[in-house]
Amino acid sequence: NAGVTQTPKFQVLKTGQSMTLQCAQDMNHEYMSWYRQDPGMGLRLIHYSVGAGITDQGEVPNGYNVSRSTTEDFPLRLLSAAPSQTSVYFCASRDQGGKQPQHFGDGTRLSIL
Amino acid sequence: DAKTTQPPSMDCAEGRAANLPCNHSTISGNEYVYWYRQIHSQGPQYIIHGLKNNETNEMASLIITEDRKSSTLILPHATLRDTAVYYCIVRQTGANSKLTFGKGITLSVRP
């Protein structure tokens, strides 16, 4: 199993550009989520999904869109990048069973100029 | 979900036990205590979780007080590779339940 795979690992964008951060998992997990982490801070939840076709907002959803067309994939879209979105982004997944732990990807480091 | 309180940092000597405290005085009956760690800038790594009984796995032990208002993560023989930020998180177990990360505790293991 590859676990949770995030691509790209690094990206630099200009303000106003759009891009999609990819996240894929091969564990057949129903629950997937996106977090961002800023320097010296813990992780903050952006969006999450409890299954294909179902998404919901987390703590800091503004400026981000998500969709979940398959169990495996949960892409995060920045429609018009802003410098405030410079951060490290982590994707995670877990089994739907209530107490199951989350598995995290290695992150995407995004800089917006 | 209940909030947790952790000291900002601690250190311990290599080979000694590292005891990381966490307060969660508002925890409710259906909330579990989870511990994750983040080494350098990697993705968080799950360590252990528990409800009310003490738990042990190959990585660590989790001691939860009888009133469940606090817990301690124990790394029995800390190594330099255990230097990381450790997060104590309280989470309900519903399908929609989410992890809420605080700032964690930075553990520095010294040679």
Side-chain angles (χ1 to χ4, degrees):
Chain A
N1 283 352
V4 179
T5 303
Q6 292 185 237
T7 57
K9 294 189 185 304
F10 302 92
Q11 184 70 48
V12 178
L13 292 177
K14 294 181 179 178
T15 297
Q17 285 185 315
S18 63
M19 82 160 294
T20 299
L21 280 62
Q22 302 291 345
C23 176
Q25 52 91 9
D26 60 359
M27 298 171 282
N28 201 33
H29 286 169
E30 291 292 328
Y31 185 98
M32 296 185 73
S33 54
W34 277 101
Y35 294 82
R36 62 176 287 174
Q37 186 173 33
D38 300 309
M41 304 285 289
L43 282 71
R44 291 184 293 169
L45 182 65
I46 305 172
H47 285 285
Y48 67 98
S49 167
V50 298
I54 306 169
T55 64
D56 207 345
Q57 296 181 348
E59 179 185 358
V60 288
N62 292 341
Y64 308 95
N65 280 353
V66 292
S67 60
R68 185 93 178 273
S69 57
T70 67
T71 299
E72 295 77 19
D73 301 298
F74 190 43
L76 178 72
R77 297 183 186 85
L78 284 70
L79 298 179
S80 179
S84 61
Q85 294 178 304
T86 293
S87 190
V88 182
Y89 291 85
F90 291 101
C91 178
S93 74
R94 67 169 169 82
D95 208 347
Q96 192 67 300
K99 62 181 181 179
Q100 297 304 313
Q102 292 206 45
H103 302 263
F104 286 82
D106 290 334
T108 294
R109 284 144 186 82
L110 181 62
S111 293
I112 300 168
L113 307 177
Chain B
D1 294 330
K3 291 189 175 180
T4 62
T5 303
Q6 300 177 258
S9 64
M10 66 176 291
D11 63 23
C12 75
E14 189 176 20
R16 306 297 294 270
N19 298 295
L20 286 71
C22 180
N23 286 322
H24 31 78
S25 58
T26 60
I27 192 170
S28 60
N30 65 345
E31 290 181 315
Y32 280 71
V33 179
Y34 288 78
W35 283 84
Y36 286 77
R37 73 180 182 183
Q38 190 172 24
I39 297 173
H40 193 42
S41 53
Q42 298 175 18
Q45 176 189 23
Y46 164 77
I47 301 173
I48 198 167
H49 72 280
L51 182 62
K52 55 183 178 181
N53 298 320
N54 297 340
E55 302 287 344
T56 296
N57 63 20
E58 65 278 5
M59 291 182 67
S61 294
L62 174 60
I63 309 297
I64 303 174
T65 58
E66 191 170 344
D67 63 7
R68 302 207 327 121
K69 293 185 176 181
S70 66
S71 60
T72 301
L73 179 74
I74 301 173
L75 307 179
H77 306 286
T79 70
L80 299 178
R81 287 176 294 180
D82 291 323
T83 293
V85 178
Y86 288 76
Y87 297 98
C88 169
I89 301 168
V90 169
R91 177 170 83 87
Q92 294 183 352
T93 58
N96 290 357
S97 66
K98 301 173 277 292
L99 286 178
T100 300
F101 286 81
K103 293 186 177 181
I105 178 173
T106 299
L107 173 67
S108 299
V109 180
R110 60 181 187 275

